[in-house]
Amino acid sequence: KQEVTQIPAALSVPEGENLVLNCSFTDSAIYNLQWFRQDPGKGLTSLLLIQSSQREQTSGRLNASLDKSSGRSTLYIAASQPGDSATYLCAVRHQAGTALIFGKGTTLSVSS
Amino acid sequence: NAGVTQTPKFQVLKTGQSMTLQCAQDMNHEYMSWYRQDPGMGLRLIHYSVGAGITDQGEVPNGYNVSRSTTEDFPLRLLSAAPSQTSVYFCASRERGGSRETQYFGPGTRLLVL
């Protein structure tokens, strides 16, 4: 059974710092991996989607990498801002399935 | 495009009552799904649909029912509400295939069962 783990569960950093959020998954037979952002009391917003054949995706100050063989993905946030404060969720879709399996998220707090 | 919409935003039920959570999308997506989000448990899949007339169970389907009569709508029915169904419910949709598989989520319905 696929399991997705996100470490750390919470992270506090000062504004301007570069940071890395980690996601690991137990079954490397994935179709794709997505990173989402969730603000308190809100729905999820997709940040980046990485296909299993890709190594990384970039959007603005965000860069997500994927190492399928080791079962790991990282989300790199450059020059963090208070507006980046949110919970970040990683989710994988298995090759043989249609559903996303989510990690429990990392709650990021960026102080000004 | 309105994206994925959900109604109601908040609902209080008594144990044993039934209700329907509404979900609609205007992006002509084939795939729609329902998740529940609970503290410490993350998001878990309840039911999903790969097209009109086709539905299947997810990880936690018990106590819930779905149907998909149109591409746009995917309602979730609670047959007899229980306190264990107190949760935040999210509907999501996506296209099928490759880079178009970005998942879009609705704003959620907060359900409290007393």
Side-chain angles (χ1 to χ4, degrees):
Chain A
K1 177 184 175 185
Q2 178 74 273
E3 293 184 1
V4 181
T5 303
Q6 292 187 246
I7 295 174
L11 181 64
S12 292
V13 300
E15 182 177 6
E17 193 163 299
N18 302 326
L19 58 100
V20 174
L21 306 181
N22 297 294
C23 172
S24 61
F25 45 95
T26 55
D27 187 342
S28 62
I30 65 169
Y31 186 78
N32 60 39
L33 181 145
Q34 291 185 60
W35 282 93
F36 295 87
R37 168 184 173 140
Q38 185 176 28
D39 293 292
K42 304 292 186 182
L44 282 69
T45 300
S46 181
L47 298 172
L48 291 163
L49 182 150
I50 309 177
Q51 301 294 329
S52 62
S53 59
Q54 298 175 321
R55 296 285 292 182
E56 65 177 353
Q57 282 285 342
T58 298
S59 176
R61 293 182 294 107
L62 305 178
N63 176 276
S65 68
L66 174 64
D67 185 341
K68 201 172 63 167
S69 61
S70 67
R72 294 181 180 179
S73 176
T74 62
L75 179 66
Y76 176 83
I77 302 177
S80 59
Q81 303 171 356
D84 294 330
S85 298
T87 296
Y88 291 81
L89 295 156
C90 167
V92 299
R93 179 189 161 192
H94 192 271
Q95 286 179 355
T98 57
L100 290 179
I101 307 299
F102 282 84
K104 295 180 181 179
T106 294
T107 299
L108 173 66
S109 175
V110 182
S111 56
S112 57
Chain B
N1 287 352
V4 181
T5 58
Q6 292 183 238
T7 56
K9 291 184 178 180
F10 182 72
Q11 183 73 45
V12 179
L13 289 179
K14 294 181 180 179
T15 297
Q17 288 185 316
S18 63
M19 79 162 293
T20 299
L21 281 63
Q22 300 292 344
C23 174
Q25 53 91 10
D26 61 358
M27 297 172 282
N28 201 33
H29 287 169
E30 293 179 299
Y31 184 89
M32 296 185 74
S33 53
W34 277 100
Y35 290 85
R36 59 178 290 174
Q37 186 176 36
D38 303 290
M41 299 294 293
L43 281 107
R44 293 178 292 169
L45 181 67
I46 304 171
H47 284 286
Y48 66 95
S49 169
V50 298
I54 306 170
T55 64
D56 207 346
Q57 297 181 349
E59 181 184 357
V60 288
N62 292 341
Y64 306 95
N65 204 354
V66 293
S67 60
R68 183 99 179 267
S69 57
T70 67
T71 299
E72 295 78 19
D73 301 298
F74 190 43
L76 178 72
R77 281 180 285 276
L78 278 69
L79 308 173
S80 178
S84 62
Q85 293 179 305
T86 293
S87 187
V88 181
Y89 292 85
F90 290 101
C91 179
S93 74
R94 64 167 171 83
E95 293 186 70
R96 283 201 290 177
S99 61
R100 296 174 299 169
E101 290 212 354
T102 296
Q103 191 102 284
Y104 296 86
F105 279 80
T109 293
R110 295 180 177 275
L111 177 66
L112 175 62
V113 182
L114 303 175

